[in-house]
């Protein structure tokens, strides 16, 4: 075998040097990711809140002598005070509901009406459902004892979901505080984002990329999450003043339905029916019904105002992002998912539409 030339030996040394450097960079990157992974969702949510609230912070700073930190602190304090309302409603609702269930079970006053005979005629599941329902109506304690393991798993799962909601609330509070710190250094953050974008896509596309991401975050956060939060507050206040059982949980359900773009009337109409059936028709119940209907439809007024500005994002993208985020990351993913997916969606279609002339980019060149 002929000896290797000097150029081949130099190439081998250079290749080995590149592979070693790439391996070290990969190891460092993976280790940094593992260290940062527990804080990834928290930091994502903090950045989303900072981008969404930064225009408000700039306006407040202009009235406070251009003190960026003072304006950011004011936004955080007011935000925490506003958050106390739904947190208080949810907490008291959970406690009251748990106490009512425990008192009902201890007193043995829980009665389930017997099923109608037509239930047995349902296709496939009719007879099993009828038999189970009949047993629950005649001997509920025996049925609970029979299915004790399943009931225990169900209760443990429910407690886990409630704990997840509590964890999500704490993370949201922490994210708001971190967002205030980010907003206090907003100009530095914008310059850093611009430098990163320029390094990734070049100087000509760096600023448009930052603007696109910023506009998408603000549009989805204000037009989807903001509307859902406002609707939850309006509906929840009405439920609490009317003394509806589980008002906090029902308000939380309104928030979740608003995020996944489902009408809140799925909650408000059954509650109105319950109030009329339990308290009858009176001036109070009529006012409550009108208020609940209007609060449940307020999104139809707010959406054209908030979603009509900035970047348009199709609602299926928001829905998939909300459901997928909730499955992947729980209650916090429900908020982060739509925004992250919307940003990815807009970046993808910008990349599709950014083709050289003559490449035949007609047809579906852009999605919005």
């Amino acid at each position: 075998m002929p000896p290797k030339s000097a150029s081949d030996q130099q190439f081998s040394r250079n290749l080995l040097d590149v592979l070693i450097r790439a391996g070290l960079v990969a190891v460092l990157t993976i280790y940094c990711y593992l260290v940062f992974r527990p804080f990834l969702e928290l930091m994502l949510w903090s950045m989303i809140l900072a981008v969404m609230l930064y225009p408000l912070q700039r306006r407040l700073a202009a009235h406070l002598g251009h003190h960026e930190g003072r304006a950011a602190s004011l936004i955080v304090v007011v935000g925490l005070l506003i958050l106390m309302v739904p947190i208080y409603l949810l907490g008291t609702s959970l406690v009251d509901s748990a106490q009512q269930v425990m008192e009902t079970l201890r007193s043995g006053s829980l009665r389930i009406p017997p099923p109608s005979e037509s239930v047995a005629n349902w296709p496939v599941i009719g007879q099993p459902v009828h038999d189970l329902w009949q047993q629950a109506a005649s001997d509920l304690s025996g049925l609970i004892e029979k299915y004790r393991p399943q009931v225990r798993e169900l209760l443990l799962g429910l407690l886990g979901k409630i704990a997840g909601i509590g964890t999500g609330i704490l993370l949201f509070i922490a994210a708001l505080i971190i967002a205030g710190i980010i907003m206090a250094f907003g100009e530095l953050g914008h310059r850093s984002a611009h430098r990163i974008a320029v390094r990734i896509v070049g100087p000509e596309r760096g600023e448009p990329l930052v603007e696109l991401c910023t506009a998408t975050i603000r549009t989805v956060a204000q037009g989807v999450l903001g509307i859902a939060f406002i609707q939850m507050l309006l509906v929840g206040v009405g439920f609490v003043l009317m003394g509806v059982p589980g008002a906090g949980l029902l308000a939380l359900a309104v928030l979740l339905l608003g995020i996944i773009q489902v009408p809140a009337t799925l909650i408000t109409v059954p509650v109105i029916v319950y109030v009329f059936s339990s308290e009858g028709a009176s001036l109070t119940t009529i006012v409550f019904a009108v208020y609940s209907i209007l609060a449940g439809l307020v999104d139809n007024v707010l959406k054209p105002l908030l979603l009509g500005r900035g970047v348009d994002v199709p609602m299926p993208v928001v829905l998939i992002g909300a459901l997928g985020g909730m499955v992947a990351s729980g209650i916090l993913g429900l908020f982060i998912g739509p925004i992250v997916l919307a940003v990815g969606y807009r970046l993808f279609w910008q990349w599709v539409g950014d083709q050289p002339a003559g490449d035949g980019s007609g047809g579906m060149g852009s999605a919005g």
Side-chain angles (χ1 to χ4, degrees):
M1 180 179 294
K4 293 183 178 180
S5 63
S7 60
D8 291 339
Q9 293 178 357
Q10 184 64 32
F11 174 78
S12 300
R13 284 195 296 268
N14 292 339
L15 179 59
L16 181 61
D17 185 59
V18 170
L19 292 177
I20 292 176
R21 291 180 181 180
L24 292 176
V25 171
V27 170
L28 179 61
T29 303
I30 294 173
Y31 187 75
C32 290
Y33 172 78
L34 294 176
V35 172
F36 188 71
R37 177 65 183 88
F39 306 97
L40 180 60
E41 294 175 359
L42 176 62
M43 294 306 300
L44 275 176
W45 191 219
S46 301
M47 292 177 63
I48 289 170
L49 289 175
V51 171
M52 179 180 67
L53 297 174
Y54 188 60
L56 175 62
Q57 190 257 1
R58 292 292 301 273
R59 288 194 291 269
L60 283 177
H63 295 285
L64 296 175
H66 298 282
H67 291 285
E68 303 284 341
R70 190 178 301 173
S73 301
L74 180 61
I75 292 176
V76 171
V77 171
V78 173
L80 291 177
L81 293 177
I82 295 175
L83 281 176
M84 292 299 107
V85 175
I87 291 174
Y88 173 78
L89 294 177
L90 180 59
T92 55
S93 176
L94 289 174
V95 173
D96 293 341
S97 300
Q99 290 178 347
Q100 292 176 3
V101 170
M102 294 300 298
E103 291 175 359
T104 302
L105 292 177
R106 289 173 180 173
S107 62
S109 59
L110 181 61
R111 294 290 182 269
I112 297 178
S116 172
E117 292 300 328
S118 61
V119 175
N121 298 325
W122 291 356
V124 184
I125 63 172
Q127 192 60 46
V129 171
H130 180 273
D131 296 340
L132 186 64
W133 192 344
Q134 183 63 45
Q135 185 178 0
S138 59
D139 185 16
L140 180 59
S141 59
L143 180 64
I144 294 176
E145 184 65 28
K146 179 180 179 182
Y147 293 99
R148 178 183 293 272
Q150 291 82 354
V151 173
R152 182 174 179 273
E153 291 181 3
L154 179 62
L155 292 177
L156 290 177
L158 181 59
L159 290 175
K161 295 298 182 182
I162 295 175
I165 294 174
T167 303
I169 292 174
L170 293 177
L171 288 175
F172 185 86
I173 293 175
L176 181 60
I177 296 173
I178 297 174
I181 298 174
I182 295 174
M183 287 188 294
F185 301 93
E187 287 296 332
L188 178 61
H190 177 76
R191 289 196 298 268
S192 300
H194 180 266
R195 291 177 61 188
I196 293 172
V198 168
R199 188 71 176 89
I200 295 175
V201 298
E204 295 182 357
R205 302 178 183 177
E207 187 63 28
L209 176 63
V210 174
E211 293 178 356
L212 175 64
C213 294
T214 302
T216 304
I217 290 174
R218 288 175 182 164
T219 298
V220 178
Q222 296 174 3
V224 177
L225 305 185
I227 291 174
F229 188 79
I230 294 172
Q231 195 170 36
M232 177 199 69
L233 288 179
L234 294 176
V235 173
V237 168
F239 287 176
V240 170
L241 294 179
M242 197 63 194
V244 177
L249 290 177
L250 293 173
L252 181 62
V254 171
L255 174 65
L256 301 182
L257 291 180
I259 293 175
I260 64 176
Q261 303 300 298
V262 176
T265 50
L266 293 178
I267 302 294
T268 57
V269 170
V271 171
I272 292 172
V273 173
Y274 166 80
V275 169
F276 270 91
S277 62
S278 60
E279 301 189 15
S282 64
L283 179 60
T284 302
T285 55
I286 292 175
V287 171
F288 169 75
V290 174
Y291 173 82
S292 297
I293 292 175
L294 293 178
L297 298 175
V298 72
D299 58 325
N300 295 312
V301 178
L302 295 178
K303 281 180 180 178
L305 297 177
L306 296 180
L307 276 180
R309 301 179 301 174
V311 181
D312 184 23
V313 178
M315 285 300 104
V317 175
V318 177
L319 174 60
I320 294 173
L323 296 178
M326 184 171 60
V327 172
S329 305
I331 188 69
L332 196 62
L334 183 67
F335 299 95
I336 298 177
I339 298 175
V340 174
L341 191 63
V343 171
Y345 171 85
R346 293 303 305 171
L347 291 176
F348 171 76
W349 280 110
Q350 186 191 51
W351 172 77
V352 171
D354 188 15
Q355 298 185 27
D359 277 4
S361 58
M364 296 182 62
S366 176

